[in-house]
Amino acid sequence: EKSKKGAPSSWERMQQNGCLFSLLLLLPLATAFLPLAPLAPSSSRPLPTPSAHRPRTPLSSLRLSSASFPAFLPQEMEDVEDPDCVSMAQRLVRAPVKVSDTTAADTIMTSYAGGAAAGDGKTPVLCLHGFDSSCLEFRRLLPKLEEGGAEAYAIDVLGWGFTQRDEGLVKDFGVEGKRDHLKGFIEQVLGGRRTVLVGASLGGCVAIDFALQYPDLVEKLVLLDPQGYVEGAPMGGQPKFLQDIGIGVLKSKPLRMFANKIAYADPDTFGTEDAMRIGRLHCLSPPGWEEAMRGYMDGGGYKLASSIARVPQSTLILWGDQDKILDPSLYADRFVEDLGSEKAKLEMVENCGHVPHLEQSQMTCDKILEYLGMTVSARV
């Protein structure tokens, strides 16, 4: 049984155990991948505050000239070159989400994009990003899902992305808080409709946990290289000064670049400095990222390995065949075994690393649309 399940890789053990020394050791390795030049100076382009009720235009149709961004994004957004990211960032909005008193002292202004293809009778598709990331992770997949006719959204999970996390507002950045916040979003923004959850990496844990707790709100699951069998949170329970050092390393450009490089099968094409820049935007604004990280760590993280078999929903699992972070040979078939072949379908994504929604977005979109009964020929 032990050899069948396989031992976690060193990267996975670092995620699971949160070894501070492993984080520090990654710094010299990271610098070997790509020399990091200083970021280009910020342009003088103004950042007007957007209306929360702006027209929902498909991401791919937005013009990139005279770009403007929501005020809750950091100034460093001006340095981003990726046109898909610029388009999606222009369309980010915040909606007030009321949560329980144990999660927050007041409503949480929740950032998300999507809804361009909303329509009567449609089942919403909600994308959930991975650990310490943002909804910009879906900058290539979301517009393709919309073009295919799906009513698709991407949300910033509580504590990460650009969702509000002001000091004194959020009380629980752990699993329960994230679950409660997601429930509020589905009920209040999506109208309480049964939703297809698309979870990438740790977002797979968010999706699985929510499906187990609120099965009536979940239609189906789509898991992209999901983290389900690597449990816990990095540096949980460690002294605050050690956590602060580790969090500082986690925010650093060298470590971000290292993680950026190993996420792709083709790092030269996709693991660029611009991609690294996008991946750390949420660390810079809104305020409270450090406290949110500490809150998640102390909460203990997700522990779902023994519960995955109880997931009641039909589940599509897509896995990059060259994933260096979560080895598919160790975990992919295990999901199917635990969920059962009558509920779970596994498909490998060729020439792809840990992030199929970024590296093979069209292939990933096609597989999701087919799974949802929306054929490629039905695209608008």
Side-chain angles (χ1 to χ4, degrees):
E1 180 70 12
K2 182 176 180 180
S3 60
K4 179 180 178 182
K5 303 301 182 187
S9 67
S10 58
W11 177 260
E12 292 153 7
R13 286 196 300 271
M14 188 191 77
Q15 287 181 307
Q16 182 176 4
N17 299 324
C19 176
L20 178 62
F21 294 106
S22 295
L23 284 170
L24 295 174
L25 285 171
L26 289 178
L27 286 172
L29 291 173
T31 57
F33 282 101
L34 187 68
L36 292 177
L39 293 180
S42 175
S43 74
S44 59
R45 200 162 55 222
L47 294 177
T49 303
S51 166
H53 304 289
R54 72 176 69 176
R56 288 172 171 173
T57 307
L59 299 182
S60 59
S61 68
L62 287 168
R63 298 181 63 180
L64 301 186
S65 59
S66 65
S68 61
F69 303 112
F72 54 79
L73 292 181
Q75 184 67 27
E76 287 78 2
M77 182 65 220
E78 290 283 350
D79 299 320
V80 171
E81 301 169 357
D82 183 340
D84 294 316
C85 182
V86 171
S87 295
M88 185 169 176
Q90 287 179 303
R91 209 176 129 214
L92 284 176
V93 294
R94 273 178 167 181
V97 172
K98 183 174 177 55
V99 295
S100 69
D101 293 341
T102 58
T103 297
D106 203 346
T107 57
I108 298 172
M109 297 304 294
T110 301
S111 54
Y112 72 98
D120 293 339
K122 288 190 174 182
T123 299
V125 177
L126 181 58
C127 299
L128 306 168
H129 61 74
F131 173 77
D132 188 29
S133 184
S134 79
C135 65
L136 294 176
E137 191 177 301
F138 295 99
R139 58 189 178 271
R140 295 179 189 136
L141 178 63
L142 183 64
K144 290 179 173 63
L145 290 172
E146 290 184 324
E147 289 164 3
E151 182 183 340
Y153 302 83
I155 184 179
D156 279 328
V157 174
L158 180 63
W160 296 319
F162 310 103
T163 286
Q164 188 182 15
R165 50 181 181 240
D166 296 353
E167 183 178 359
L169 172 64
V170 180
K171 303 176 183 178
D172 182 3
F173 288 109
V175 172
E176 293 79 9
K178 287 173 169 43
R179 183 195 308 141
D180 185 38
H181 176 249
L182 181 57
K183 178 175 180 284
F185 183 86
I186 292 176
E187 290 180 339
Q188 298 160 44
V189 179
L190 303 185
R193 292 173 291 166
R194 289 176 64 86
T195 300
V196 176
L197 297 181
V198 179
S201 192
L202 187 74
C205 290
V206 178
I208 291 169
D209 173 77
F210 191 84
L212 287 168
Q213 297 296 322
Y214 300 108
D216 292 343
L217 290 175
V218 181
E219 181 69 21
K220 293 182 177 181
L221 294 180
V222 178
L223 305 178
L224 310 177
D225 296 58
Q227 179 180 327
Y229 297 104
V230 179
E231 299 187 313
M235 294 179 286
Q238 296 294 322
K240 181 179 179 297
F241 82 94
L242 286 179
Q243 289 181 337
D244 287 346
I245 294 172
I247 289 170
V249 173
L250 186 61
K251 186 178 182 178
S252 69
K253 293 177 184 177
L255 182 58
R256 291 277 171 175
M257 180 58 80
F258 175 75
N260 184 36
K261 286 290 183 180
I262 66 171
Y264 297 101
D266 182 2
D268 292 338
T269 299
F270 294 99
T272 63
E273 184 176 353
D274 195 50
M276 179 274 293
R277 184 183 294 118
I278 295 167
R280 68 189 294 272
L281 285 171
H282 66 282
C283 304
L284 309 176
S285 180
W289 174 77
E290 292 85 356
E291 185 60 33
M293 287 298 303
R294 195 178 300 111
Y296 178 71
M297 292 172 181
D298 288 340
Y302 289 90
K303 299 174 183 177
L304 296 170
S306 63
S307 303
I308 290 173
R310 296 192 289 106
V311 171
Q313 293 85 0
S314 172
T315 303
L316 172 66
I317 304 157
L318 301 180
W319 218 298
D321 64 351
Q322 298 180 45
D323 188 341
K324 305 180 190 72
I325 295 176
L326 292 173
D327 188 338
S329 68
L330 300 179
Y331 301 111
D333 288 334
R334 186 174 175 183
F335 271 97
V336 177
E337 292 171 6
D338 283 352
L339 291 169
S341 58
E342 69 283 356
K343 287 188 299 184
K345 179 182 181 181
L346 170 65
E347 292 195 35
M348 303 305 294
V349 181
E350 296 180 354
N351 302 314
C352 187
H354 185 61
V355 283
H357 46 303
L358 282 167
E359 190 167 17
Q360 296 289 353
S361 57
Q362 189 62 65
M363 186 185 305
T364 301
C365 175
D366 290 347
K367 290 178 182 296
I368 293 174
L369 292 179
E370 182 181 4
Y371 177 64
L372 300 180
M374 304 174 66
T375 61
V376 173
S377 61
R379 289 180 192 162
V380 296

